[in-house]
Amino acid sequence: MATTKKDIRALTKDQLRDFFEKQGDKAFRGNQVYEWLWQKSAYAFEDMTNVSKETRQLLETHFVINNIEVNTMQRSSDGTIKNAIKLHDGLIVESVLIPTASRTTACVSSQVGCSLDCRFCATARLKRMRNLNPDEIYDQVVAIDKESKLYFKRPLSNIVFMGMGEPLMNYNNVIKAIDKITSSEGLGMSSKRITVSTSGVPKMIKKMADDEVKFNLAVSLHSAIDEVRTAIMPFNETFPLEDLKEALQYWHLKTQRKISYEYVVWKGINDAQKDIDALVKFCKYVPCKVNIIEYNPIDDSEFQQASKEAIQNYIQQLEKNRIVVNVRRSRGKDIDAACGQLANKS
Ligand code: SAH
């Protein structure tokens, strides 16, 4: 049912303290409630056991806690878990837990659908419905941390913003969520273990550099030739490679940190020598590494994974030019949980 009460987690700690003061209570009450909302992830006011019944009722009349709910959970034969997460307004996003021998990574969504139109991505076919709020991003991490402890007996170790949506098109909320995830008043995770992946929005990359963010940056490059990139990622027309390059140079100058390029090699699209040459050249602009990722087929798409030889050519020539390159095996394919496959089939 629609409600006019305010989402209490939209309030900062100071606003919460003010609320209690205005109600004639102690501002300190705000700290207690804040701790319940974030560090302890309380999903109901009645769970706040050290808060008086009167206070809980007061909160109940003014606010709601817009919690998420794991609607369905699927487990892949490789251990990957995909969650369909139901938001308070009934919309669904997906988040994925990816276990390896040494770490557990949460792949989280930043938007419902996506406003970009990458031709090879299933999420792009959904269009953007809305941005996620900071608490909705935070809660995905909390849910996956719980699953990690339950199924793998260890806490979550890494977070990648590679689920649904373009994080830099929901920048403010993503930053607020990361602040909570890394804060000792939240989950206390290290920002070094967080990676934000973007299709490359130059203005926002510069803003991140100015904001001195501490997490890692990955850019979904897929081609270093404008015509090719525009054909597969049409927004490249608006944000061409020259602007991207300039923004990345700015990022490096300010942060002194390397960039990761995500790169899929497709048959007949970017598997020729000229594509490799362009990538090698692009990699020289800013210290970086390249992650070659396997293509995860989506329904009736014209894209096909390139041959092993084509990928070997890429690897050899990148290495010859002293560019670090990793090949990423895809995970959770059998349950459509791999990169680019998130599209709410359920
Ligand atoms: N919008 C952000 C984050 C979401 S996509 C971005 O573009 O980076 C996460 C990664 O999956 C990106 O590198 C994207 O290019 C890649 N991807 C999308 N569809 C894919 C597919 N079908 N197979 C493999 N990778 C895909």
Side-chain angles (χ1 to χ4, degrees):
M1 205 180 74
T3 171
T4 49
K5 292 185 210 171
K6 199 174 161 83
D7 176 10
I8 189 165
R9 285 188 296 173
L11 269 58
T12 62
K13 192 167 159 184
D14 285 341
Q15 288 170 329
L16 209 51
R17 288 169 58 92
D18 283 353
F19 168 79
F20 280 106
E21 265 189 331
K22 288 207 182 93
Q23 298 289 328
D25 202 337
K26 294 194 183 67
F28 168 75
R29 198 72 66 218
N31 299 26
Q32 270 182 323
V33 171
Y34 191 83
E35 190 176 311
W36 276 109
L37 291 174
W38 295 102
Q39 204 170 41
K40 298 182 183 162
S41 281
Y43 271 0
F45 295 116
E46 60 185 20
D47 294 344
M48 303 181 176
T49 45
N50 65 353
V51 176
S52 74
K53 200 169 169 199
E54 247 176 18
T55 305
R56 283 185 263 143
Q57 269 162 0
L58 175 76
L59 291 172
E60 204 87 55
T61 55
H62 286 84
F63 302 108
V64 286
I65 305 176
N66 279 342
N67 50 349
I68 63 162
E69 192 186 312
V70 177
N71 204 31
T72 55
M73 190 192 105
Q74 286 172 276
R75 293 191 76 177
S76 158
S77 52
D78 67 17
T80 301
I81 295 177
K82 178 167 86 169
N83 298 301
I85 304 263
K86 194 168 166 191
L87 307 172
H88 69 92
D89 55 1
L91 290 172
I92 304 265
V93 289
E94 293 175 331
S95 32
V96 183
L97 177 162
I98 308 154
T100 64
S102 57
R103 46 164 90 167
T104 317
T105 302
C107 175
V108 298
S109 294
S110 54
Q111 298 181 311
V112 188
C114 190
S115 53
L116 300 182
D117 43 11
C118 304
R119 297 268 191 257
F120 46 81
C121 179
T123 306
R125 299 182 176 182
L126 297 174
K127 304 298 168 217
R128 191 193 77 92
M129 282 169 260
R130 72 169 172 87
N131 285 338
L132 293 187
N133 295 324
D135 48 272
E136 292 170 325
I137 297 169
Y138 183 88
D139 286 357
Q140 292 175 64
V141 176
V142 171
I144 292 183
D145 185 42
K146 275 190 196 146
E147 289 175 345
S148 181
K149 286 171 181 152
L150 181 64
Y151 296 106
F152 302 97
K153 312 288 174 243
R154 59 188 186 204
L156 179 68
S157 60
N158 296 71
I159 302 172
V160 293
F161 281 79
M162 293 190 187
M164 301 167 103
E166 169 49 51
L168 299 196
M169 299 278 198
N170 184 19
Y171 181 75
N172 289 340
N173 290 353
V174 165
I175 293 295
K176 281 185 192 160
I178 293 178
D179 280 348
K180 292 277 178 352
I181 292 166
T182 53
S183 157
S184 59
E185 294 187 325
L187 297 175
M189 283 184 70
S190 160
S191 15
K192 293 198 188 96
R193 294 180 170 273
I194 300 177
T195 301
V196 169
S197 177
T198 174
S199 297
V201 188
K203 193 175 79 187
M204 299 313 292
I205 292 173
K206 286 187 178 167
K207 170 141 178 58
M208 277 200 299
D210 288 336
D211 290 349
E212 296 179 18
V213 299
K214 297 284 183 285
F215 47 77
N216 304 301
L217 175 62
V219 174
S220 303
L221 191 60
H222 304 313
S223 174
I225 301 175
D226 271 316
E227 302 79 74
V228 177
R229 197 168 191 261
T230 300
I232 56 178
M233 303 167 85
F235 64 87
N236 184 72
E237 180 118 55
T238 323
F239 309 125
L241 287 162
E242 184 60 28
D243 296 359
L244 180 60
K245 165 191 151 187
E246 197 218 319
L248 294 174
Q249 285 173 329
Y250 186 82
W251 160 273
H252 181 70
L253 198 72
K254 285 245 166 172
T255 67
Q256 296 302 310
R257 289 210 308 279
K258 266 193 180 180
I259 290 155
S260 302
Y261 295 127
E262 310 292 305
Y263 205 97
V264 179
V265 189
W266 289 283
K267 191 179 269 175
I269 292 179
N270 58 354
D271 59 352
Q273 187 58 44
K274 66 170 181 12
D275 300 294
I276 303 180
D277 293 341
L279 177 61
V280 167
K281 185 171 171 213
F282 197 86
C283 285
K284 294 194 170 155
Y285 297 144
V286 189
C288 65
K289 65 174 185 198
V290 175
N291 292 324
I292 296 199
I293 50 183
E294 211 182 314
Y295 173 55
N296 304 306
I298 58 172
D299 292 348
D300 60 84
S301 127
E302 75 263 38
F303 290 89
Q304 270 179 55
Q305 169 88 29
S307 66
K308 286 207 176 81
E309 295 72 40
I311 293 173
Q312 269 312 316
N313 276 340
Y314 261 97
I315 297 170
Q316 266 170 17
Q317 295 183 49
L318 287 167
E319 285 181 341
K320 206 173 80 192
N321 284 279
R322 296 202 186 79
I323 298 157
V324 177
V325 51
N326 295 306
V327 180
R328 289 273 169 85
R329 215 167 31 95
S330 142
R331 304 287 306 268
K333 250 187 184 173
D334 55 340
I335 53 167
D336 285 332
C339 280
Q341 291 186 314
L342 303 183
N344 302 335
K345 277 196 184 159
S346 51

